Amino acid sequence: MVQAALTIAGSDSSGGAGIQADMKTMSALGIYSCTVITAITAQNTLNVDHILPLSADIIKKQIMSVLSDIPIHAIKIGMVYNNEIITTVSDILKNSKIPIVLDPIISAGTGARLLEQEFLSDFKIKLLPICDVVTPNIHEAEILSGIKIKNENDIKKTALKIQKLGAKNVVVKGGHFKNNDEMIIDTILNDRGKFTLIKNPRMKIAETHGSGCNFSAAVTAFLALKFPMVLACLMANKYVHNSIVNTVKIGKGIPVNNPISSMYEDSCRFKVIEELAYAVDKLTSIKNFEKLIPESQSNIVYAIPNANNIDDVAGVSGRIVKAGDRSVPTSGIKFGVSRHVASSILEYMKTNQLVRSALNIKNEKRILDKCNRLFRVTHYERKWEPKTIKNREGRSISWGVSRALSKNPDADIIYHTGDIGKEPMIIIFGQNPQEVVDKVKSILDNMKF
Ligand code: PXL
């Protein structure tokens, strides 16, 4: 069964924070997200250009519509902006039994105020006492507690003060605390007065847009899944750490968190392995395929979209080898296993991102003649290779593929005729391994052995 959570927050037109971040994070964690929009911001990665707070009436109607129908297992409150919104949200939720996560959003990372100064005391009086956990960063913790943070002990003092104001649990996020270059320490104070510290190595990213929203949305998701509070915070921290690793520079301003990129990448990896395993089965059952296998054996590879290194390319662990009148893979499919054929596909993808699969076969006259009749073929010679490239381990293939593609960027086949100690080779390219297998079938069609 899918659990639902509700986020009551502002819309961020840049897509990185607010409602948009909450929906991505909750969805990525398997939670169905309902949304109540409190304000619409016109912003990008440089500035917040405009804020339109919505009326108390429509905010109330949104909350009532959702709560009167959908079982909600946790609620997040994000940007509330003004007194009317604070009062409306507080009045509706003050007797609710649903766990509430309060993200005390005061300013955007780009600087603009997202909670008017004059409403700070209302915020503290009306929202802190109704929440189960509040998740300030260092600046927000200072503002809510009135304590200036100069050292780690001050962080604990702010957490205790904020708890006194009514929040049951407090998480002070340490990312903006610059006393420690190596580590980021987040401080959790639970409802029994116990502190838990979460330590992560500091990444070389100054400020990211959306990390605070992603964290509080992740805590909300884990609470909806019934994890106990401290564990929910620890898991949310780990999740956000990964989403910061996947930060994207999407605009001209600060980088934006990308909380679902790793999920997309994982699903691509799964599909690549499945399709490649299927294609290896088909390839090795093609009659006479073993006659195309070179001395140095064959491999077929398949890269994930946007691959940029060998670990993004799957191949047969070991090779596909000739065994009598059959061909067999020596082992299963893995990422990062085929240096040569993987280098070819990585280089090809610089010209055409859609071509993601490749197979190397023997270069013999009649095979090459058949390729020339059927496909677009281009080539390079290893003896054209500049010394500077030859001397650099692993660079030869990229150089050759790039050189060959400069003559014909749409080639299906790239070959070279070898050099001292280098076997001549043909590489067949395709958008996916099935297409490569089909090309092999056409090459072998009507060929007599
Ligand atoms: O990151 C805090 C935040 C929350 N909600 C909205 C925002 C921002 C930051 O820009 O725009 C709507």
Side-chain angles (χ1 to χ4, degrees), residues 10-12 17-18 41 43 48 79 105 107-109 114 209-210 213:
S11 163
D12 167 8
T41 70
Q43 66 175 302
V48 177
M79 174 181 176
I105 290 156
S107 301
L114 301 177
H209 182 57
C213 296

Side-chain angles (χ1 to χ4, degrees), residues 40-41 50 66 78 85 129 139 156 172 185 212 232 246 273 279 287 293 301 306 315 330 351 384 407 411 426 435:
I40 297 173
T41 70
H50 194 75
V66 173
I85 301 176
H139 305 312
K156 290 189 173 172
V172 183
I185 302 174
N246 288 305
I273 287 186
K287 187 161 180 288
I293 296 180
V301 299
N306 307 315
T330 56
T351 302
W384 299 341
K407 292 189 286 179
I426 292 174
E435 206 181 290

Side-chain angles (χ1 to χ4, degrees), residues 268 271-276 300-304 312-315 334-335 345 349 354-358 430-434:
C268 288
K271 281 189 234 155
V272 156
I273 287 186
E274 253 200 352
E275 275 184 58
L276 188 55
I300 181 165
V301 299
Y302 194 20
I304 59 169
D312 297 335
V313 185
K334 269 201 180 141
F335 279 93
I345 200 64
M349 287 176 81
L354 295 179
V355 174
R356 287 164 39 210
S357 184
Q431 297 204 356
N432 53 55
Q434 186 59 52

Side-chain angles (χ1 to χ4, degrees), residues 33-209:
S33 54
C34 299
T35 61
V36 166
I37 300 184
T38 55
I40 297 173
T41 70
Q43 66 175 302
N44 53 32
T45 62
L46 297 162
N47 288 308
V48 177
D49 297 317
H50 194 75
I51 298 173
L52 173 71
L54 298 189
S55 71
D57 184 48
I58 188 63
I59 292 170
K60 183 174 176 181
K61 283 180 173 146
Q62 291 178 81
I63 302 177
M64 298 313 284
S65 282
V66 173
L67 294 185
S68 65
D69 173 34
I70 301 167
I72 293 293
H73 294 270
I75 298 175
K76 166 182 161 167
I77 304 172
M79 174 181 176
V80 281
Y81 196 61
N82 64 25
N83 187 28
E84 255 194 292
I85 301 176
I86 292 168
T87 307
T88 306
V89 172
S90 169
D91 283 351
I92 303 175
L93 296 182
K94 65 184 172 210
N95 296 320
S96 156
K97 298 268 179 301
I98 305 168
I100 296 177
V101 178
L102 177 62
D103 192 352
I105 290 156
I106 296 173
S107 301
T110 50
R113 278 202 82 93
L114 301 177
L115 174 68
E116 301 276 20
Q117 170 75 31
E118 70 230 70
F119 303 126
L120 198 61
S121 77
D122 266 339
F123 182 95
K124 292 202 272 185
I125 294 167
K126 294 185 176 161
L127 291 180
L128 284 177
I130 70 163
C131 75
D132 291 272
V133 59
V134 63
T135 61
N137 62 28
I138 291 284
H139 305 312
E140 292 157 351
E142 286 183 332
I143 292 168
L144 292 176
S145 66
I147 298 168
K148 180 95 194 110
I149 296 177
K150 292 187 279 319
N151 55 48
E152 270 143 33
N153 202 40
D154 291 338
I155 298 181
K156 290 189 173 172
K157 282 190 200 155
T158 62
L160 287 163
K161 178 74 193 287
I162 294 167
Q163 194 173 55
K164 268 218 176 84
L165 295 172
K168 296 182 190 67
N169 298 268
V170 183
V171 184
V172 183
K173 297 167 294 179
H176 295 93
F177 186 53
K178 294 286 150 58
N179 275 25
N180 191 334
D181 284 345
E182 306 275 297
M183 303 297 284
I184 291 182
I185 302 174
D186 295 337
T187 306
I188 307 176
L189 171 61
N190 80 359
D191 55 1
R192 276 159 287 133
K194 182 170 177 285
F195 282 102
T196 305
L197 302 184
I198 318 176
K199 299 183 182 181
N200 283 300
R202 188 178 282 280
M203 286 181 265
K204 291 195 172 30
I205 302 167
E207 172 81 35
T208 66
H209 182 57

